[in-house]
Amino acid sequence: MLQRILTFFERYSFGVCTYLGERFNISISKIRLFFIYSSFLAVGFPLVFYFFAGIVLDIRNFIKRKHTGVADL
């Protein structure tokens, strides 16, 4: 049951924690815990940052996919 929940969130999340973990070479679970704990302390501001970063990453990936098409060759 827990594995299904984790798989669901991994598949449908924005990938912000994964991107930050790979970029700064930090454990992904530590970044997730940081977002969870800081959202309790800062009354949800890190969640706003998370969603904003997710939208930016999604737009960035969309632009990359658009420019690497077959027509560009």
Side-chain angles (χ1 to χ4, degrees), residues 22-36:
E22 290 174 355
R23 178 90 171 161
F24 297 115
N25 199 17
I26 301 172
S27 173
I28 298 168
S29 62
K30 289 182 182 180
I31 294 173
R32 287 185 182 131
L33 285 175
F34 170 76
F35 274 113
I36 291 169

Side-chain angles (χ1 to χ4, degrees), residues 29-58:
S29 62
K30 289 182 182 180
I31 294 173
R32 287 185 182 131
L33 285 175
F34 170 76
F35 274 113
I36 291 169
Y37 291 144
S38 61
S39 67
F40 285 120
L41 295 175
V43 192
F45 176 73
L47 292 176
V48 173
F49 170 76
Y50 183 87
F51 287 125
F52 179 73
I55 291 169
V56 169
L57 286 175
D58 194 36

